[in-house]
Amino acid sequence: MKILQFFRKRASANAARERLQVLLAHERASISGVDIVSVLREEILTVIGKHVQIDGRRVNIRMDRGMRVSTLGVDIEIPFDPGMRAA
Amino acid sequence: MGKVIVVTSGKGGVGKTTSTAAIGAALAQAGQRVVIMDFDVGLRNLDLVMGAERRVVYDLINVIEGEAPLAQALIRDKQLENLFLLPASQTRDKDKLTPEGVEKVISALKKVFDWVICDSPAGIERGAILAMRNADAAIIVTNPEVSSVRDSDRIIGLLDTKTVKAEQGERLEKHLLINRYDAARAADGDMLNVDDVVDILSIPLLGIIPESVNILRASNIGSPVTLCESESGIARAFFDSARRLVGETVPIIVPEEKRGFFGKFFGRKAA
Ligand SMILES: Nc1ncnc2c1ncn2[C@@H]1O[C@H](COP(=O)(O)OP(=O)(O)OP(=O)(O)O)[C@@H](O)[C@H]1O
Ligand SMILES: [Mg+2]
């Protein structure tokens, strides 16, 4: 019991340390102007916005900043109107 | 020429004012001429912590606006004749605190005092930037807790860009002061330990200040803990920090969980 408790508890300070390391690595980079994940997100939305009207409620963006790899997920519902004809 | 120190943190309530008072008094107790300056316009507290609240007549903005000579705005400590306080304004418009005005006051103070210690307001806005602007060195007060560490990291970035020193391409000396350290909780793994915080922020450690009940007593009576409880563990930690600040080598002892006999017996922490 005591040992189990020890491991459970150890986890909280360790979790704090690891979360801070990842977060600060990204924040330090973004303050000098290059949070690449955010830049990509902005540009991708701009490009898509040029071709279709993006409805803010139909956009789902997920970012996960990791120590070595980050992921960016962009899900956009693109409305299709069959009544509209090509010019 | 005196040295200008900013005591800063980003996050509020981590112990900047408490540390300014304690370290300022410790330096004065060692015979240095010290002035502590409150930059927290509208939320001044250093006067209370120093027990000088009833003697405030003029403040920093009065001096900047030319409404009072600097010498008249300085309040001498009740006990230490070489310790002075320059209060912040409680009622005036923050915009009256200008970079030019602050610079003028600080350069006048530097000629007379060995140490000019600036107690920064929380945040990363104008007030905090003004407090750090003229500093030669910074004390970054951090609690061993995620949001405080993150904000300290942010402040370190600002110290490297927004100060006169940084603009002139010089390095600003930075010192980490870990406050409210609870050895028992760090030993249990519930609190970031000293190595974790030093590793993450990677600036030299000035001291480790324990969580302590003496602080409440000190603020109740309005006297820095290094003066009114000078024998306490927390006062010793501040004295050591002050000695490191003047360049002495004082070994850093990480407080360990102390369990006295009765503490052990009843499974409680000893004070
Ligand atoms: N080592 C300590 N042990 C116990 N209490 C502490 C300690 N350090 C600070 N405190 C308490 O924490 C509170 C905030 O401290 P203080 O006013 O010094 O912080 P601050 O950083 O100046 O806050 P602000 O950002 O509002 O200016 C006070 O009530 C103070 O007594
Ligand atoms: Mg304060």
Side-chain angles (χ1 to χ4, degrees):
Chain A
M1 183 57 212
K2 199 72 183 165
I3 286 180
L4 270 181
Q5 217 170 26
F6 176 81
F7 281 114
R8 186 187 58 76
K9 280 185 167 175
R10 203 45 250 174
S12 118
N14 285 346
R17 191 189 56 233
E18 278 154 29
R19 287 173 59 218
L20 275 167
Q21 280 165 338
V22 173
L23 174 68
L24 295 184
H26 283 277
E27 286 192 344
R28 284 168 189 163
S30 68
I31 285 159
S32 46
V34 277
D35 177 8
I36 191 70
V37 192
S38 299
V39 172
L40 286 174
R41 185 197 62 207
E42 291 307 319
E43 291 193 1
I44 288 169
L45 289 182
T46 312
V47 167
I48 294 170
K50 269 194 219 159
H51 301 283
V52 285
Q53 179 115 34
I54 302 179
D55 178 347
R57 284 162 306 181
R58 308 250 179 254
V59 179
N60 179 10
I61 296 168
R62 287 163 322 253
M63 286 162 58
D64 188 4
R65 296 187 173 85
M67 201 62 200
R68 292 205 170 66
V69 180
S70 300
T71 58
L72 171 67
V74 185
D75 251 316
I76 303 171
E77 274 184 34
I78 299 167
F80 170 63
D81 183 354
M84 214 168 72
R85 286 201 192 169
Chain B
M1 205 58 135
K3 195 162 177 177
V4 183
I5 309 276
V6 61
V7 180
T8 185
S9 69
K11 188 170 160 66
V14 298
K16 295 177 291 296
T17 301
T18 305
S19 304
T20 302
I23 290 178
L27 289 169
Q29 282 164 282
Q32 306 272 308
R33 286 166 301 176
V34 181
V35 60
I36 53 181
M37 274 177 87
D38 194 340
F39 275 81
D40 212 338
V41 178
L43 287 171
R44 74 169 174 225
N45 273 324
L46 197 53
D47 55 336
L48 262 180
V49 170
M50 297 299 296
E53 71 280 4
R54 297 200 303 186
R55 291 184 290 142
V56 175
V57 182
Y58 296 115
D59 57 55
L60 178 55
I61 289 179
N62 290 138
V63 176
I64 288 175
E65 294 274 286
E67 296 154 358
L70 178 55
Q72 267 187 42
L74 293 174
I75 304 171
R76 191 191 288 266
D77 185 67
K78 293 173 291 191
Q79 298 179 59
L80 296 169
E81 61 166 20
N82 48 340
L83 176 61
F84 289 82
L85 163 71
L86 183 53
S89 175
Q90 190 67 334
T91 50
R92 301 285 289 270
D93 185 354
K94 284 185 190 191
D95 293 341
K96 290 265 160 48
L97 204 61
T98 59
E100 299 76 28
V102 170
E103 215 231 286
K104 247 173 95 178
V105 171
I106 289 184
S107 56
L109 290 171
K110 269 166 79 168
K111 295 197 183 105
V112 186
F113 291 95
D114 301 313
W115 299 89
V116 180
I117 307 182
C118 308
D119 179 17
S120 174
I124 53 170
E125 309 299 323
R126 203 180 128 82
I129 302 297
L130 277 173
M132 70 169 66
R133 191 152 170 77
N134 300 282
D136 299 307
I139 296 176
I140 296 108
V141 183
T142 306
N143 294 162
E145 170 266 323
V146 286
S147 43
S148 174
V149 175
R150 177 202 214 168
D151 291 359
S152 293
D153 193 72
R154 191 72 196 279
I155 277 289
I156 292 169
L158 293 175
L159 287 165
D160 285 333
T161 49
K162 303 276 185 187
T163 53
V164 175
K165 272 237 142 132
E167 283 168 6
Q168 292 170 347
E170 289 173 57
R171 267 201 89 69
L172 182 114
E173 223 179 274
K174 295 184 219 69
H175 304 276
L176 176 62
L177 190 67
I178 299 181
N179 185 31
R180 309 199 76 154
Y181 191 71
D182 184 330
R185 296 183 65 195
D188 283 349
D190 273 341
M191 184 182 264
L192 286 166
N193 64 33
V194 171
D195 288 344
D196 289 339
V197 181
V198 174
D199 254 19
I200 292 167
L201 293 176
S202 51
I203 56 170
L205 185 60
L206 183 69
I208 306 159
I209 311 299
E211 172 77 28
S212 164
V213 290
N214 295 303
I215 288 294
L216 186 56
R217 242 186 67 80
S219 74
N220 283 343
I221 63 175
S223 173
V225 72
T226 41
L227 261 177
C228 69
E229 305 266 346
S230 59
E231 299 296 317
S232 61
I234 186 168
R236 243 173 292 133
F238 276 124
F239 283 126
D240 284 355
S241 305
R243 287 172 58 195
R244 290 185 197 107
L245 197 61
V246 303
E248 280 182 54
T249 349
V250 183
I252 291 193
I253 299 156
V254 180
E256 277 173 54
E257 183 190 7
K258 281 190 224 101
R259 284 187 200 274
F261 175 77
F262 288 104
K264 234 181 242 161
F265 204 76
F266 296 110
R268 275 187 315 152
K269 253 184 302 154

